[in-house]
Structures are given as structure tokens and as C-alpha cells.
Amino acid sequence: MKKLVTILLALACNSLFAQLPADFELLYKVKTDRAGVFASKVERELITDMVKVGLTDSILPTKTATHQTRLFNWMLRSFAGLRWRAIDGKKHAMVGTLKGGMSSPSKDFFTEYDVTFQMFQHTPKYQALVKQGYQAQRDKMLKGRNYLEKKGINPDTLSAASLANMRIHPEHTPLKKNRDSLNKYFLPCLPGTTVDNHPAWSVTNPTVGCYGAFVLDGNHKGSPEIHPYEWLWWMDTKERTPNKLVWYAGLMREGSNRFLRWSKKPRVGFIKIPFVFDVTDTVNTIKVEHLVVGDMKPESLSKLGNYIPTDASNFNNGAGSMGFSYGNKIKFDFGKLDTKAIKWWVTTETDNKQFIWGYLNIAVSTDDVYAIRVTMED
């Protein structure tokens, strides 16, 4: 009898999840089997990839970027190879798992202060991008070709297991004026602060998503990078409260003078953060907290055009004063932010008697930075 009950419960759960698309089923699984999901790099990366981001300047206007030293710029580029070369002329998202945490320098080197990490990809989607990056290193950079040959690496024949051990190296220099706030609330970027002890991270080797220029770094034998990364996001895997999912996300403009045309102000873009709720619960809440707010530019938000719906809202009303629920199924708890440079709206894929799923959309225009924490709880 006990065995029969177990089987019936399993069938009921399968029937329940059958109402959800595969990606949202995995997202909901975090609420029912948090430890199991977080133990899998592949599942963590698939969930992180559900977040969608973009910028209005996703096409790179130049093939290369260099240090801006005026008199010595040509020499640095031509003889020392100190340049960054676009792989396919586009900005890309990259989702993977860190190894070795994040590193930041003790001081600026001219205008360079790169916060970097080693990122390894375990899903086919991003392993294909990794392979493209190493093929470009071989084909476009002499030092890169020599390096790969010495290591006996043929990018064309790399297996999935081999690609999982090939790094992508994201880098970004935060603007000086934002580093204290970023370091406190969002990104470990000052000496002494790491992903292990930062309150927004506090884990070893987290899974993250980043978005920026997909390039070859002439300083590092032409190795493939996301440089500079401009969007950065991750799910808080240390959160242990049942039925609560916490996301961190931020848009940051590059603070060095090396990518003046690749990351110019203002930064105008969007982020879509997924949610799934069991609507039979009495309370389903989406909470937004504004962690780091820079110099916002409302006049530039129009660059997104019709992407922003006419009924999109701003955060001027703040938490507790909106008095608004999405179809009486979702309560919004938003921190007040008096600016027209940010718009939000909700899109749902579909809903049924058991679940509602979709995205919280946020469009933003800032000269330097905007970082948030988003909590989904039912």
C-alpha cells in the first residue's frame, strides 16, 4: 500500500510539472529540490540562462580597441600586440561557472582596474560559443595560434568534456566613483572583498551570466574574453528560505579609456528576469530593491523604442504604495526610485489553474551603473 501511494504521488508531481515548459519546470524545481539543482553546474547554468539581457549597441562599431596613450598607441598595438579584437563584431551573453572566484587589482594601472574571473561553460549553447572563440584565437592571432599549437589544442576537434575545461575570461573596470557602492552591495571589486565573503555572493565558484563584447585579448595570447562585460547577473544559491528565489543583476559602464566606442555613455538596455508561481498559494510576491543607482538618463530611454510597451510603469511610487496586483495573482513590492530612466512591466508566457510564469522586464538608461536585487517568493 505504501509503495502504491509513493507511485501515485510521483505521478501527481509529474502531471503537475507537465503543465510547465521545460525551462520553467527547472526553475520551479529550485523550490522543491534546491540542493539537487544547485549541486548540478548544468542545471544552475540553464536556470541562469533564463535571464535575458540586451543593449541598444549590440554591434561593435570597430574591429579593435586599444589603450588610449596618443603618442604610443600605434606602437602598443602594432609591436606589443596590446589590443582587443572583435571575434564576430557582436556583444554576447555568456553563462558559466567560476573557478577561483573573482580578482581585482590593488591599484589602477593608468585607467585600467579590471575585475576578472575564470568562467567555464557546461551547456551546449555556450560551449559552441567557447569553441568559436578558440577557433578565432587560432585563426586571427599569431601568438594565439602558436600558443594553441604548443599546447596541442585543435579547437575544431574539442569534445564537450574538453570544452568544459576551456576558460572564458570576462573583465571589466568599474568607474572609480562607483567602486565603494558596488563593493558594498553588488560586486567584490576592492582589495579584501571576494565572492566568498561578499554579502551578495558568499559562495565559492558561483554560476553567473555576463554580457558584453566577445573579443580576443592581445595581452593574453589572444585568448577569448567577454571584455568589457556590462551586464552581470546571478541567482543567490546561499538562500535557504523555501519558495524564495533571489536574483542579483547590474548594468555597468566600462570605466577605463580602452573601450570608448564599445561602452560609451549612456548605457541603455533591458533585462528579463523569469518567475514561476503556484497560483493556488495565497501570496505571490516580486520584490525589487535598488542596490546601486548611478547617474540616470531618462532622455535616452527612448532608444529602446517600441520595445517598451506604452503601459510600462516606473518605480516612483515605491513599495507599499502601488496597491497593484497582476490579475490578483502577484503582489509587487518595489523600492521607491524617483526617476523616469527606468521602466518595468510584466509579460506572461501563459497561465493555468496551477501556475503562472513569465518575466519581470526592466528597461534602464544610465551613464554609469544600476544594480538590483529581485526576490520572487510564494
Side-chain angles (χ1 to χ4, degrees), residues 110-124:
F110 294 102
T111 65
E112 180 180 325
Y113 186 91
D114 283 336
V115 179
T116 69
F117 48 95
Q118 313 291 339
M119 191 180 197
F120 296 84
Q121 287 60 229
H122 302 86
T123 61

Side-chain angles (χ1 to χ4, degrees), residues 123-298:
T123 61
K125 175 181 177 179
Y126 290 106
Q127 286 185 346
L129 204 57
V130 171
K131 185 174 184 178
Q132 180 185 349
Y134 279 92
Q135 288 171 327
Q137 180 184 8
R138 177 198 61 194
D139 297 340
K140 296 184 178 183
M141 305 290 278
L142 176 59
K143 290 183 178 180
R145 180 167 66 250
N146 293 342
Y147 172 78
L148 293 174
E149 288 177 353
K150 288 179 180 179
K151 293 289 185 178
I153 297 172
N154 180 358
D156 296 334
T157 61
L158 290 171
S159 65
S162 297
L163 286 166
N165 292 311
M166 305 293 287
R167 75 168 191 177
I168 294 294
H169 192 209
E171 302 190 34
H172 173 93
T173 289
L175 287 158
K176 280 186 177 181
K177 64 179 182 177
N178 301 133
R179 290 175 197 168
D180 285 339
S181 295
L182 284 170
N183 189 71
K184 184 175 181 180
Y185 298 108
F186 184 71
L187 178 69
C189 59
L190 294 178
T193 310
T194 67
V195 292
D196 296 278
N197 62 27
H198 192 283
W201 301 73
S202 298
V203 293
T204 300
N205 300 329
T207 294
V208 302
C210 64
Y211 178 92
F214 191 33
V215 302
L216 304 171
D217 188 349
N219 304 273
H220 298 150
K221 300 181 178 64
S223 65
E225 299 180 346
I226 301 293
H227 197 174
Y229 57 87
E230 297 175 283
W231 277 110
L232 182 70
W233 70 94
W234 68 95
M235 180 182 279
D236 183 358
T237 58
K238 71 178 184 300
E239 174 60 52
R240 293 294 182 266
T241 304
N243 297 331
K244 180 186 287 188
L245 304 181
V246 180
W247 293 95
Y248 288 83
L251 175 59
M252 303 174 289
R253 180 168 64 86
E254 166 70 17
S256 75
N257 70 352
R258 297 165 295 172
F259 306 100
L260 298 180
R261 297 187 67 185
W262 289 4
S263 186
K264 58 186 178 181
K265 59 182 181 182
R267 298 286 73 219
V268 182
F270 66 87
I271 185 168
K272 300 173 59 175
I273 302 177
F275 65 82
V276 56
F277 291 120
D278 182 341
V279 295
T280 62
D281 293 338
T282 54
V283 178
N284 304 286
T285 303
I286 297 178
K287 182 177 181 179
V288 176
E289 299 167 88
H290 312 286
L291 301 179
V292 185
V293 181
D295 185 11
M296 311 308 288
K297 294 296 178 183

Side-chain angles (χ1 to χ4, degrees), residues 1-16:
M1 182 66 180
K2 185 182 292 185
K3 185 176 181 180
L4 177 60
V5 171
T6 302
I7 293 172
L8 290 174
L9 286 173
L11 291 173
C13 288
N14 287 334
S15 175
L16 184 71

